[in-house]
Structure formats: structure tokens, C-alpha cells
Amino acid sequence: MEALNCPLLSVNVRVWHFWSFVLVHNWRRYISIIPVTLLNVFMFADLYRAWGNIEEVIINAYFAVLYFNAVLRTLILVYNRDKYECFLTGAAKIHKELRNNNDETITKIVDTYTKRARYLSISNLILGAIISSCFVVYPLFTGERRLPYGIYIPGIKIFDSPQYEMFYIAQAVLTFPGCCMHVPYTSFFASSTLLGMVQIKTLQHRLRNFRSDIANEGLSALKRKLHQLIEDHLRIIRYVKDINDLVTYICLIEFLSFGLILCALLFLLNVINVMAQIVIVVAYIFSMLAQIFAFYWHSNEVREESMKIAEAAYSGPWVEVENSIKKKLLLIIIRAQRPLEITVGNLYPMTLEMFQSLLNVSYSYFTILRRLYN
């Protein structure tokens, strides 16, 4: 339960705890996962039914993929609950240890990144709630009977009363747990990487100042301090590896689906003329970009800052120490040359260059589709 009280993680963990995805197991898990999964199945059935209608297929495919990602994230979270709970507990202990440090600089680092993580988590939930509300409200302004998410159930006339009203209310209600299944995972990724940044920044600070009290310390004390720095470096390496093990395959699904859906939505902007539709499609594109950018930005920060550990070790007061300490510092520098990376399916590092390449590929396919369509 330590994760519930960790200010850096608590926003997302409390949402998961409410729906009993982690730390507890009760009925809330089933009233969220099962109905949302059924809704997603009916979405894919509707894609098959509407095949050939470009506009309808693209919009419905966006929602189908969005909810598929939400369901997949949650199923992986629940299936690997023990791993996630172990990680969250360890992360909470690390945060508490660093927060209770007597060093003012380290305390400032912890507070800065904690505020940033909480701001991101809360703003993501608010943004998700606003966009989800747009999903639900938009059909009311189309002037015809439409559901927030296209679904197809064989043998049922969805747009006849009272079925239409019942399905509309059901989808409006399921939008809330769907949002809670999707958004907190993105925020969890951001918060976890920010805690990694706290550890890396702390290690950099300590390496630059590990001889600050050398006048009052003997050689043995200095060696103990350096051994602790090496342990901290190894802990950071394990921590980033644990994050990667938890999220790498989710990132692969995001990578494969993001480019296709972004290309399709850009193409849709080229063929629709109704202002309300243009606004809602732009909102869809913005939400996708914001989500995927959060993954790549924070992963890139961890990668870049991990390589600066070598610079911090070299910048420290090592000139006048004995050779055994210099050799250990050299080992830290050598290891820091290999960046700590969060990868896409354990294949490619998640960097801003990779994000830019993904955008370029999506736009290239969009221009090809537009040329063929015209």
C-alpha cells in the first residue's frame, strides 16, 4: 500500500486501486473490463460491416484501436499484477528514501519532479475526461441518430427506439471506465520515468560532490561512499530495465497502431467538409499525438540524462585520489557510455528521433493516399 501514499505515483495508483486492477481484487474489476471488452468486440464487428465507407471506417477504426489499447493495457496490468505491485512498492520506497535525504539539492530535485509527475497525471486525467466527453456529446450535433462509437450486433436494429437510447446511455457510461483504463497507464509510464530521472539527477549530483567532506573523512569512508554510488548506479540500471520489461510490448502495439491511425485521420481531414467533423477529427489527432509524445519524450529524457552520468563522474574531484578510486570511477564512466533505454518491443529505443521518423512515415503514407484518392 506504500504506492498509494507516494505523491509521485499516487494519482494513477489510486485510479487503478479504485477499479481493483492492482493492490485489491473485487467486483469493480469485472464491471469495467468485461463491458468495455464487449463494446470493443462490437466496434470491430462494425468495421467489418461498414467496410467500403471511407469516412465511417476511419472514425470507427480510431475508436476501435483506442479501446483495444485500453483493454490490452488493462489485461496485461491485471495478468502481471504481482510484477506491477512489486515495481510500484519498490518505486515508492526509492522515492521515500530520496525525499528524506538531508541534502537540500536532492530534496529540491525530488520535489521538482514529484510536482511535475502529479501535474502530468492530473492534467492527463482532465484532458482524457474532456475528450471523452466530446466523444459522447458529438453525435448530438450531427442532426441524425448516431452513437458515440459505431457498433454492430447481428439481429438488433441499433438505431430504432428504445434500443438506440439504451445503447447511447450504455456507451456514455462505459466511456468513464474506458478512460480510466487508458489514461492512467500513460501517466504511470511518465511518472515512473520521472522517478528514474530523480535517481539519475541525484547520482550526478553525488558524483560531482563525493569528496566534499574529504577533510573530515578518511580513505575508507571515501571508498564506502564510492561503493554506495556504484550501488545506486546499478539500482538505476535495474529500475529502467524493470520499466522496460513492463511497458515495451505495449509500446510496440502503440507504435504499430499510431502510424496507421494518424495517417488515416489526416486523410479523413482531406475528404470531409463539415466543420463539426473537422473539429472532432483534429481533437482525435491531438489526443493521439499528446499520448504518444508523452511516451517518447520521457523515454528520451532518461536516455540522454543517463549518458550524462559519465560527465558527472569525470567532473568530480578525482585528480588527487588514489588509483583504486580512480579505477572505480572509470568503471562508472565506461558503463554510462551505454545509455539506459526504454524500447519498442525490445527492438528500437524510444527517442525523439524515433518519434520524428514515425511522424514522417505517417505523413508520407498520407500524401500517397491523398494522391491516389484525388
Side-chain angles (χ1 to χ4, degrees):
M1 291 291 183
E2 291 183 40
L4 287 172
N5 300 317
C6 176
L8 187 140
L9 301 169
S10 61
V11 175
N12 309 303
V13 177
R14 288 181 184 277
V15 175
W16 284 346
H17 180 262
F18 174 82
W19 291 106
S20 78
F21 297 151
V22 295
L23 304 178
V24 68
H25 183 179
N26 60 36
W27 53 272
R28 288 194 184 96
R29 175 184 302 179
Y30 302 104
I31 66 169
S32 59
I33 294 178
I34 294 176
V36 172
T37 302
L38 286 174
L39 174 63
N40 193 226
V41 171
F42 296 145
M43 287 180 183
F44 280 105
D46 189 61
L47 283 180
Y48 178 79
R49 177 199 62 80
W51 195 259
N53 185 332
I54 295 177
E55 178 184 336
E56 188 175 358
V57 167
I58 290 176
I59 290 295
N60 291 347
Y62 169 78
F63 287 120
V65 171
L66 184 69
Y67 272 80
F68 175 77
N69 285 339
V71 171
L72 183 63
R73 290 176 177 192
T74 306
L75 291 177
I76 291 176
L77 173 63
V78 172
Y79 181 78
N80 296 310
R81 186 185 64 181
D82 292 339
K83 291 182 180 179
Y84 278 89
E85 289 178 355
C86 181
F87 174 82
L88 291 169
T89 301
K93 289 180 179 178
I94 292 172
H95 182 269
K96 184 177 180 181
E97 174 191 324
L98 295 175
R99 200 179 193 190
N100 294 334
N101 195 282
N102 295 324
D103 191 314
E104 291 184 3
T105 302
I106 295 176
T107 302
K108 185 177 180 180
I109 292 172
V110 174
D111 290 343
T112 298
Y113 281 93
T114 299
K115 290 178 182 178
R116 180 173 164 184
R118 289 184 64 83
Y119 172 79
L120 279 170
S121 299
I122 294 171
S123 60
N124 281 344
L125 282 174
I126 293 173
L127 180 62
I130 293 173
I131 294 177
S132 297
S133 300
C134 293
F135 295 165
V136 173
V137 173
Y138 167 70
L140 300 177
F141 297 93
T142 59
E144 58 186 61
R145 285 199 167 191
R146 295 185 63 174
L147 291 172
Y149 320 114
I151 60 172
Y152 174 66
I153 305 175
I156 297 179
K157 296 181 179 180
I158 295 173
F159 296 102
D160 291 346
S161 295
Q163 297 95 302
Y164 171 74
E165 290 77 8
M166 293 172 59
F167 282 119
Y168 197 106
I169 293 172
Q171 290 191 3
V173 171
L174 290 178
T175 297
F176 174 67
C179 179
C180 292
M181 292 166 65
H182 192 275
V183 174
Y185 200 99
T186 303
S187 300
F188 157 75
F189 179 91
S191 299
S192 300
T193 53
L194 286 174
L195 182 56
M197 289 290 296
V198 170
Q199 297 177 70
I200 292 170
K201 290 283 189 180
T202 298
L203 178 60
Q204 292 174 358
H205 169 71
R206 286 173 170 167
L207 282 170
R208 293 190 183 98
N209 301 277
F210 80 97
R211 279 189 68 223
S212 57
D213 299 324
I214 189 60
N216 302 320
E217 295 180 355
L219 181 61
S220 60
L222 187 61
K223 286 183 177 180
R224 286 197 301 272
K225 183 181 289 187
L226 186 57
H227 288 164
Q228 183 59 50
L229 293 178
I230 294 173
E231 287 296 324
D232 290 344
H233 193 196
L234 293 174
R235 183 176 69 178
I236 294 170
I237 294 171
R238 290 193 298 269
Y239 178 85
V240 175
K241 181 180 182 300
D242 288 342
I243 296 177
N244 185 70
D245 291 341
L246 292 176
V247 305
T248 184
Y249 294 110
I250 289 292
C251 292
L252 177 61
I253 299 297
E254 296 281 351
F255 176 83
L256 295 175
S257 62
F258 171 80
L260 294 174
I261 297 300
L262 178 60
C263 171
L265 289 175
L266 289 173
F267 176 74
L268 185 58
L269 280 178
N270 193 59
V271 299
I272 60 178
N273 298 312
V274 180
M275 181 55 66
Q277 289 181 325
I278 293 175
V279 171
I280 200 69
V281 170
V282 170
Y284 298 160
I285 294 173
F286 174 77
S287 63
M288 285 191 65
L289 287 174
Q291 174 193 303
I292 202 75
F293 182 73
F295 277 90
Y296 283 83
W297 171 267
H298 291 97
S299 177
N300 186 78
E301 275 197 317
V302 169
R303 186 180 191 276
E304 295 298 320
E305 289 297 329
S306 70
M307 291 191 291
K308 293 181 181 178
I309 292 175
E311 180 184 338
Y314 184 77
S315 300
W318 56 267
V319 177
E320 297 178 359
V321 299
E322 68 171 30
N323 287 335
S324 62
I325 294 179
K326 290 179 181 178
K327 290 178 181 178
K328 291 174 182 176
L329 282 172
L330 184 60
L331 289 176
I332 295 177
I333 293 173
I334 292 172
R335 177 59 184 87
Q337 301 299 313
R338 183 158 48 121
L340 303 180
E341 296 177 333
I342 300 171
T343 60
V344 176
N346 287 323
L347 298 174
Y348 304 104
M350 296 179 66
T351 63
L352 291 180
E353 289 79 6
M354 186 70 175
F355 178 72
Q356 183 180 5
S357 299
L358 183 57
L359 292 180
N360 291 339
V361 170
S362 299
Y363 186 76
S364 297
Y365 282 121
F366 157 68
T367 55
I368 294 173
L369 275 176
R370 185 175 61 177
R371 188 174 304 136
L372 291 174
Y373 181 80
N374 291 336

